[in-house]
Amino acid sequence: MTKDAESIDPVKDVEEGTQMLENSGSLMQTLNRDDQEEEFTPIDGGWGWVVCFTSLLTNGTVFGIINTFGIIHVFLVKEYAVNDSSISFKTSWIGSVCTGFTFFMCIFSGVCSDRIGIRPTAFFGALLGAIGLFSSAFITQLELLYLTYGLLLGSGGGFIYATSLVILGHYFKKHIGLANGIVAFGSSAYTMIMSIVLPISLENLGIKYTFIILGGLYCILLLCSLTWIPTFPVHSSSHGKESQIEEGRCSSIHKYLNLKIFKNRAYLTWFLGFDVALFGYFVPFFHLVKHTRDNFPGKNAFILITCIKVTSGVGRLIFGKIADFKCVNRIYMQQSAFVLMGIMTACLPFSSSFEGLIIICLVLGVCDGIMVFLVGPIAFDLVGPKDASQAIGFLLGGFSVPFTVGPPIAGLLYDTLHTYEIAFVVAGAPPIIGALIMCFIPRIVQNSNKEKETTDAAIGLTRFNQTDFFKIQLRKRGKSF
């Protein structure tokens, strides 16, 4: 027996080789499971259309109430005005808190959807919103409405709204654009209906019973949420385990927040571009009526908001179907909508006629519809169905900042200059800048795909090398022995 042969322990070598082969097999099984999850194909119909309808009711209820707060605001001023010179400012913050919390809580909605499930999260949101509205009906002190109408209703709306978008990806892929367009149409339809019904209800029944009726709408959403049956299990509960394996430690943040989606450069670029674009989004909705009354007294300024909502709803349905065509790039479509939205917003103060304002508002509505319904489909395109819940949640949570900051800046410019010319021009810039930032997305997505192909090839080569290397080594050592 040679010296080299004496240093060889064939039993130990075989055990080590077997263990490494088993580890390699475990890796292959894990990768195969991941491949199977990624191959999930939604049914594109069936029960999905029921889910689509109930999501439409959810979208309509949540944003119908938010969009018509201006009507409620007028009656709140009348109800609580008792020699208070700042009553209008105080009541306006009730709606702002509600809107801000609706989008901010979408972040936590995504986390809860992954941790406890879509239906429990949505049911909790509907219940929270109903409690907020019912309790608002019995409030006699204005400041308490910040808690009931602002915090509770806003938080409930955020929890159920985000899940209404996520669940669509469980049932639609080929027709996901159309499905999101139908769901997004709900907010336009409800806003138009409630803008007619709310004044009548407030005038004849008062704020108390109007809030009770709105609370009843949220009770319907309790039933709607029960129809949202997930078709594939979420995997984010493994985020914490991945972190433990990676670093040997795991913070509580990484256990609950799927922060790895921000490593996806395509999603991160889209996230930043979208948030920048929205700094000018709400300015026309807040200040267009005042601008019209200043420049075209005697004209019905409220019809302009109706024009925006009508074409927004129609645009969501038409372009929702168009977005499903394979030849259509959804990101390009959203970019175009933002650019046109910025141009139209900047043109508002330069219209010399009321009819010109109507035409501009009709175009703005189409752009609004395209921008809104594409949120869900693009999120699924960029991060996939398994990570979409928190991707949508983070995106909607980011909306809370521009939605809150944009209109006050425009109001400050008006108070200083006594004209909306500069305010609307400034508001038109962010959508264009945001669209320019999104120009990096196609290149990043293409590079990411190439990187994925390279990674897959490397994994395949590693599987081959690990198996054959150990077989060869065992044969060689056996011969030496």
Side-chain angles (χ1 to χ4, degrees):
M1 188 180 294
T2 64
K3 182 177 180 180
D4 291 337
E6 290 177 356
S7 63
I8 298 175
D9 184 348
V11 177
K12 181 178 180 182
D13 287 341
V14 171
E15 289 178 350
E16 291 178 352
T18 304
Q19 182 63 39
M20 299 185 77
L21 285 172
E22 289 177 354
N23 292 339
S24 177
S26 298
L27 174 62
M28 294 173 66
Q29 291 176 1
T30 301
L31 291 171
N32 288 336
R33 284 197 302 269
D34 292 341
D35 292 341
Q36 290 173 359
E37 289 180 2
E38 291 177 0
E39 291 173 359
F40 165 77
T41 302
I43 59 177
D44 272 305
W47 184 257
W49 293 116
V50 176
V51 172
C52 185
F53 176 72
T54 53
S55 295
L56 179 150
L57 298 181
T58 299
N59 198 289
T61 300
V62 172
F63 285 98
I65 294 175
I66 289 177
N67 292 338
T68 55
F69 178 77
I71 299 173
I72 298 175
H73 173 264
V74 174
F75 286 86
L76 286 175
V77 171
K78 293 180 181 179
E79 181 79 12
Y80 293 99
V82 183
N83 299 324
D84 190 345
S85 58
S86 60
I87 186 64
S88 181
F89 173 78
K90 290 180 179 179
T91 52
S92 63
W93 271 105
I94 297 173
S96 296
V97 171
C98 179
T99 303
F101 267 95
T102 296
F103 287 98
F104 179 71
M105 295 306 293
C106 287
I107 298 175
F108 301 96
S109 174
V111 175
C112 292
S113 295
D114 284 349
R115 300 296 297 188
I116 65 175
I118 289 178
R119 283 194 291 177
T121 301
F123 190 89
F124 173 74
L127 181 62
L128 203 61
I131 293 173
L133 285 166
F134 285 136
S135 57
S136 296
F138 301 95
I139 293 298
T140 57
Q141 186 176 347
L142 178 65
E143 287 74 12
L144 290 178
L145 287 176
Y146 295 137
L147 174 62
T148 58
Y149 193 98
L151 178 60
L152 292 181
L153 175 60
S155 298
F159 275 108
I160 193 169
Y161 168 59
T163 50
S164 72
L165 298 182
V166 173
I167 192 62
L168 295 178
H170 288 246
Y171 288 90
F172 296 95
K173 182 176 182 181
K174 182 180 178 181
H175 301 301
I176 192 171
L178 176 61
N180 276 269
I182 293 173
V183 170
F185 174 77
S187 66
S188 297
Y190 268 64
T191 299
M192 288 185 289
I193 294 173
M194 292 177 68
S195 64
I196 298 173
V197 175
L198 268 183
I200 299 175
S201 175
L202 288 166
E203 196 70 50
N204 294 280
L205 301 177
I207 293 177
K208 177 179 179 180
Y209 292 102
T210 299
F211 280 160
I212 291 177
I213 293 174
L214 295 178
L217 291 179
Y218 259 82
C219 288
I220 295 176
L221 301 188
L222 291 170
L223 300 177
C224 291
S225 66
L226 298 180
T227 67
W228 298 349
I229 305 171
T231 56
F232 62 85
V234 296
H235 73 301
S236 65
S237 59
S238 63
H239 296 328
K241 295 179 182 178
E242 292 171 359
S243 300
Q244 289 175 338
I245 295 173
E246 250 179 51
E247 301 286 345
R249 68 186 191 283
C250 182
S251 67
S252 58
I253 293 178
H254 287 85
K255 284 183 179 179
Y256 297 100
L257 298 181
N258 183 8
L259 298 180
K260 73 174 185 179
I261 60 177
F262 288 102
K263 295 180 181 180
N264 181 329
R265 292 176 295 167
Y267 173 78
L268 179 60
T269 304
W270 182 56
F271 178 90
L272 294 175
F274 215 128
D275 279 1
V276 169
L278 292 180
F279 275 95
Y281 173 78
F282 255 138
V283 172
F285 290 94
F286 273 63
H287 299 285
L288 184 57
V289 172
K290 174 64 176 173
H291 167 74
T292 304
R293 288 183 172 180
D294 289 347
N295 293 274
F296 304 100
K299 298 292 185 178
N300 183 7
F302 294 103
I303 197 175
L304 298 177
I305 303 300
T306 303
C307 289
I308 293 176
K309 286 303 177 182
V310 169
T311 53
S312 177
V314 174
R316 297 175 192 195
L317 294 176
I318 296 176
F319 287 94
K321 180 60 178 177
I322 294 175
D324 287 330
F325 295 141
K326 293 183 179 180
C327 61
V328 175
N329 187 306
R330 291 166 179 163
I331 295 176
Y332 288 167
M333 181 184 289
Q334 193 172 68
Q335 282 179 281
S336 301
F338 274 129
V339 171
L340 191 56
M341 178 183 291
I343 295 173
M344 291 295 102
T345 301
C347 289
L348 282 171
F350 302 105
S351 175
S352 58
S353 65
F354 182 71
E355 291 72 19
L357 283 179
I358 292 178
I359 294 174
I360 292 175
C361 289
L362 292 174
V363 178
L364 273 175
V366 175
C367 296
D368 171 70
I370 295 174
M371 182 274 293
V372 170
F373 88 84
L374 281 174
V375 169
I378 293 179
F380 276 89
D381 289 343
L382 295 181
V383 303
K386 294 184 293 183
D387 293 328
S389 58
Q390 292 203 36
I392 293 174
F394 280 123
L395 182 74
L396 296 177
F399 290 1
S400 60
V401 176
F403 279 173
T404 304
V405 173
I409 292 177
L412 181 63
L413 289 172
Y414 177 80
D415 291 338
T416 304
L417 304 173
H418 304 291
T419 177
Y420 277 111
E421 289 186 4
I422 301 299
F424 281 124
V425 171
V426 171
I432 298 176
I433 295 173
L436 292 176
I437 294 175
M438 292 182 185
C439 287
F440 293 97
I441 295 176
R443 179 174 62 85
I444 292 173
V445 171
Q446 185 176 359
N447 290 342
S448 297
N449 288 337
K450 288 182 178 178
E451 290 172 4
K452 184 179 184 300
E453 292 171 2
T454 303
T455 302
D456 291 342
I459 291 173
L461 184 60
T462 300
R463 293 173 179 171
F464 170 82
N465 288 344
Q466 282 181 336
T467 304
D468 291 294
F469 173 80
F470 294 122
K471 286 181 179 178
I472 292 170
Q473 291 301 313
L474 287 171
R475 284 199 301 269
K476 290 172 67 177
R477 293 194 175 192
K479 288 180 181 179
S480 297
F481 179 77

